[in-house]
Amino acid sequence: NGQVSIAIPAWARGAVNVEVVSTKGQRIARWRTTSSDVDGSNIVWDISDGRGRAVPAGVYFVRMTNGSHVCVKRLVVVK
């Protein structure tokens, strides 16, 4: 399995909720970070679900929230 680095935007430094969701709206992975949890400005996702199983190839969305700020990015997993 691979890994993907998810960049945390500058406005989201500090406490931020990060979720990876499928196109069906299913939560695949999630993190709640604080400024000390984030290595620089990235989170590394091992392309697995919350139970450690590899996710299939396809389109996913990364949703980041911090207070009133919300950012959604599209992520394509290719195998």
Side-chain angles (χ1 to χ4, degrees), residues 24-56:
K24 295 178 182 179
Q26 298 168 308
R27 184 184 307 140
I28 305 299
R30 70 176 173 172
W31 302 266
R32 176 159 175 79
T33 67
T34 64
S35 57
S36 61
D37 292 333
V38 178
D39 178 23
S41 60
N42 297 298
I43 291 175
V44 177
W45 178 40
D46 63 1
I47 312 178
S48 66
D49 64 13
R51 297 179 184 176
R53 298 175 298 201
V55 300

